[in-house]
Amino acid sequence: MVSPVMPSAGVLSPLGLEAVRLTPGFWGDRVALNREVIISHCQEWMERVGWIGNFRGATPRRGREFSDSEIYKLLEAMAWSDHPALDELAETVARAQEEDGYLNTRWSGRRYTDFEWGHELYCYGHLIQAGVARLRAHGEDTLTEVVRRAADHVCARFMDTEETCGHPVVETALVELYRVTGTERYLEMARRFVERRGRPALGEIQFHPAYFQDDLPVRRARVFRGHAVRALYLACGAVDVAVETGDTELLQAVRAQWGRTVARRVHLTGGMGSHHSDEAFGEDFELPADRAYSETCAGIASIMLSHRLLLATGDARYADLAERTMYNVLATAVALDGRSFFYANPLQVRVPAEPREGVNHGAEGGLRSPWFDVSCCPNNIARTLASLPAYLAAADGDALRIHHYTPGEIRHDGLALRIETDYPWSGTVTAHVVEGRAGRISLRVPPWAEGATLTYGGVSHPAEPGYTTAEADWRPGDRVRLDLPVRPRWTFPDRRVDAVRGCAAVERGPLVYCAESAGDEPPLARVTAEPLAPVERHVDGAVELDVPACLTAPEDDAWPYRADRRATPGRQTSLRLVPYHRWGNRGPASMRVWLPLT
């Protein structure tokens, strides 16, 4: 089976890329864009900035200490996509590997001298994930040989020490390598890496040890904290270890951390991370809109974790969060043409950013950039979109569960369905039976879809949030139709989220909306909204919204505070809202998701 996650136990079993084929539609278009544009874009830029050249060794090394990992993410994307450039790039990497399996262009000659910031094991993690993708999609070759030698080197060097890496990811990679090869030492090495963290295992740094989750053992933590990507990658590895070793205590610990984090530390978009200084989670309900970091890689890591927890438990809550994050972080992070990206995904941009033609040396989220000094996000997008079909459906015994909706074909155990839908723009999802047998077809009803119905055999049934199931002896030509009430709704923040108290946001189906101001459009700092029913407009295949608003006159007071609460005079207007994932495609603009109320 060709899938990035293949647990040996759990409530659900994943369906691989060979079982889920996407056709043109919301996600099918993006998967095709990735194959045709994004992967090549990433490769071209890494040649241009010299990161691939580091493996050739002909010039002084360029890029950050972890830049090797970006080539490995690209190799993973190529492996899932069967990209023609993979073999040549894999040969380039192979020639840089040392006799004992060690492979790192930054630290060769000074191995393992900086576990806090060196990222050596982190780089191995992404290399191993690329090898797992190649083994599952193709079989043994040069890349997989490199990966086996590197993994064996890691086990030989670290099995009997107490050392670990400041940036998790090797844990989940080793578990997947165990799953595809059956080699027990890879699982044991992953288990030891998970258990070492928090004893502590790392030295003092400028940030608190919580930055890399070294303040508490994984089992004792109550919430995700510190650097968001590190925290979520570690949680993925802990779930993988727990599933493969039958460690229910460890699995329950991560589930509890996920639940507390979702209830207190996640942005409306599903984005994670509130601090720009350390790319980290904030305290409970510390969720500022304009300083939301919500890194693209953290969103991808959240999708990875939600998917693992979904497979382990079958709980629809994990698919709900994955959907929110897919539509409002993953889809947002890449421009419609596939050639520029967001690193951070704030929920408010006060001042339009200056256009950038070359490398962005920062990570602010005001305008997508073609490349960054730290370009973890473009390559992470590439590998995620390349494997995305494997996230959309799963097997529940002989039954079929569909988590996410987009046009395509799904096959499982003699049952073949053709999915037709315009989701997320409309809420009708129709599964046409192409090949049939007796069994169950379950479709997910999101928590916002009150009044949903499931129709099959000529009868409609109410469909409550969670999974709704149709069971029959299916024959070609049969249909199952799910109708989700996709309509605009106002969303109000918990009163404890101080940063957006007195504001509201608009959602429609799984999409978060935002106001965007470019050119001569009204400045958003002077606009307040009225929470009345939005009016829908269909534009370029998408749905935009108009909401009543008030535009206040400019103020020139010398002091921005008052002794009373008098309102500034204004005039009625209409505020245009666009899907958050589409903002920033018209050029520099200001933007806000949370709208102050009139």
Side-chain angles (χ1 to χ4, degrees):
M1 184 180 295
V2 184
S3 175
V5 186
M6 288 185 58
S8 64
V11 173
L12 304 178
S13 301
L15 297 183
L17 300 180
E18 74 281 8
V20 182
R21 187 178 70 86
L22 304 190
T23 53
F26 191 95
W27 290 115
D29 292 348
R30 285 160 174 79
V31 169
L33 181 71
N34 185 56
R35 184 175 57 252
E36 296 163 6
V37 177
I38 298 173
I39 290 175
S40 296
H41 176 92
C42 291
Q43 183 179 13
E44 290 164 6
W45 268 97
M46 285 193 286
E47 284 285 10
R48 185 184 307 185
V49 298
W51 298 355
I52 294 175
N54 291 337
F55 289 86
R56 302 185 183 106
T59 60
R61 189 184 185 281
R62 299 171 66 183
R64 292 288 300 273
E65 62 274 17
F66 41 73
S67 65
D68 287 4
S69 69
E70 307 314 333
I71 283 76
Y72 303 151
K73 289 177 199 170
L74 179 63
L75 280 168
E76 183 183 348
M78 289 177 170
W80 296 127
S81 304
D82 195 23
H83 196 279
L86 183 145
D87 289 338
E88 181 179 354
L89 184 56
E91 290 286 352
T92 299
V93 169
R95 285 191 289 271
Q97 190 170 33
E98 298 182 30
E99 190 66 29
D100 66 348
Y102 182 86
L103 177 56
N104 192 285
T105 69
R106 170 64 176 83
W107 296 104
S108 180
R110 293 189 295 143
R111 299 181 182 186
Y112 308 121
T113 56
D114 187 352
F115 286 108
E116 289 73 31
W117 300 112
H119 288 77
E120 283 160 285
L121 289 171
Y122 169 80
C123 289
Y124 283 132
H126 284 298
L127 173 63
I128 293 168
Q129 287 177 320
V132 168
R134 190 60 169 169
L135 277 168
R136 288 179 175 155
H138 173 80
E140 298 283 1
D141 67 358
T142 298
L143 176 59
T144 64
E145 181 183 349
V146 168
V147 165
R148 285 178 183 271
R149 293 179 61 213
D152 289 342
H153 165 79
V154 169
C155 292
R157 172 62 177 78
F158 291 97
M159 188 69 76
D160 297 318
T161 74
E162 293 301 316
E163 297 158 324
T164 191
C165 184
H167 198 313
V169 85
V170 72
E171 300 84 355
T172 194
L174 284 167
V175 176
E176 290 299 337
L177 187 59
Y178 156 74
R179 287 168 172 168
V180 74
T181 65
T183 305
E184 293 281 349
R185 65 178 174 275
Y186 301 148
L187 175 60
E188 177 59 18
M189 188 72 262
R191 187 192 69 79
R192 295 188 186 193
F193 279 142
V194 169
E195 297 292 0
R196 285 172 193 171
R197 194 169 297 269
R199 290 185 179 181
L202 296 160
E204 293 292 328
I205 57 167
Q206 67 184 93
F207 303 118
H208 187 269
Y211 172 83
F212 32 49
Q213 299 73 50
D214 200 38
D215 56 328
L216 288 170
V218 174
R219 297 172 191 274
R220 288 176 48 200
R222 297 183 64 237
V223 69
F224 298 146
R225 71 262 179 246
H227 187 275
V229 180
R230 284 170 164 85
L232 294 162
Y233 279 171
L234 178 61
C236 287
V239 170
D240 288 337
V241 167
V243 167
E244 294 306 318
T245 61
D247 192 335
T248 56
E249 178 190 67
L250 181 58
L251 179 61
Q252 184 53 41
V254 178
R255 293 188 69 186
Q257 293 161 25
W258 182 94
R260 184 177 178 87
T261 301
V262 169
R264 294 167 171 82
R265 300 186 175 189
V266 177
H267 294 282
L268 180 65
T269 56
M272 296 195 181
S274 300
H275 293 173
H276 282 236
S277 61
D278 51 358
E279 302 185 316
F281 288 99
E283 298 300 323
D284 289 355
F285 304 105
E286 183 187 352
L287 295 165
D290 53 346
R291 295 302 292 167
Y293 199 61
S294 184
E295 186 188 342
T296 295
C297 285
I300 289 171
S302 174
I303 294 167
M304 291 168 56
L305 176 59
S306 292
H307 183 62
R308 283 165 166 79
L309 290 170
L310 174 63
L311 294 175
T313 67
D315 191 332
R317 293 181 305 153
Y318 302 120
D320 293 337
L321 181 64
E323 176 180 71
R324 178 176 292 275
T325 313
M326 286 161 60
Y327 280 103
N328 301 297
V329 179
L330 176 59
T332 306
V334 58
L336 295 177
D337 67 0
R339 298 186 182 278
S340 59
F341 311 87
F342 281 142
Y343 189 111
N345 295 275
L347 279 69
Q348 180 178 357
V349 173
R350 296 177 181 272
V351 179
E354 293 294 326
R356 297 179 184 272
E357 295 298 327
V359 175
N360 184 344
H361 301 292
E364 301 298 322
L367 195 67
R368 295 179 183 87
S369 299
W371 205 247
F372 302 86
D373 278 340
V374 178
S375 275
C376 48
C377 299
N379 300 291
N380 225 348
I381 292 168
R383 72 174 184 136
T384 302
L385 288 175
S387 60
L388 189 70
Y391 287 79
L392 305 186
D396 183 0
D398 66 348
L400 179 62
R401 282 206 208 185
I402 303 176
H403 314 307
H404 307 292
Y405 305 121
T406 196
E409 297 177 358
I410 303 174
R411 294 178 175 271
H412 170 58
D413 192 21
L415 181 64
L417 305 178
R418 186 180 77 255
I419 307 299
E420 291 184 355
T421 183
D422 193 32
Y423 194 81
W425 311 117
S426 72
T428 298
V429 181
T430 304
H432 299 266
V433 177
V434 178
E435 297 175 15
R437 60 167 171 80
R440 292 173 290 128
I441 301 171
S442 295
L443 299 98
R444 185 178 58 86
V445 179
W448 46 261
E450 295 183 9
T453 59
L454 182 71
T455 302
Y456 66 102
V459 180
S460 293
H461 310 267
E464 299 298 323
Y467 286 95
T468 185
T469 300
E471 186 169 7
D473 186 1
W474 303 107
R475 295 287 182 265
D478 289 345
R479 293 187 303 172
V480 179
R481 191 182 77 230
L482 178 66
D483 288 297
L484 303 171
V486 174
R487 50 179 174 262
R489 61 191 186 277
W490 286 91
T491 299
F492 302 88
D494 187 294
R495 60 180 176 78
R496 292 168 288 185
V497 185
D498 300 282
V500 293
R501 189 178 294 132
C503 298
V506 177
E507 300 179 85
R508 184 180 182 275
L511 302 180
V512 172
Y513 277 69
C514 66
E516 180 184 32
S517 179
D520 58 357
E521 294 170 316
L524 298 181
R526 292 169 46 203
V527 175
T528 56
E530 298 183 35
L532 302 175
V535 175
E536 297 186 4
R537 291 191 294 117
H538 293 259
V539 180
D540 296 331
V543 176
E544 297 182 354
L545 304 173
D546 290 321
V547 298
C550 180
L551 179 64
T552 61
E555 299 180 34
D556 296 316
D557 295 345
W559 182 242
Y561 309 100
R562 294 174 177 167
D564 58 53
R565 298 177 61 189
R566 70 181 186 273
T568 303
R571 62 177 177 83
Q572 291 299 117
T573 187
S574 180
L575 184 61
R576 173 191 178 219
L577 304 183
V578 300
Y580 177 73
H581 75 263
R582 293 175 69 93
W583 95 271
N585 280 283
R586 297 185 296 154
S590 59
M591 177 276 296
R592 65 186 308 161
V593 168
W594 291 106
L595 308 173
L597 298 181
T598 300

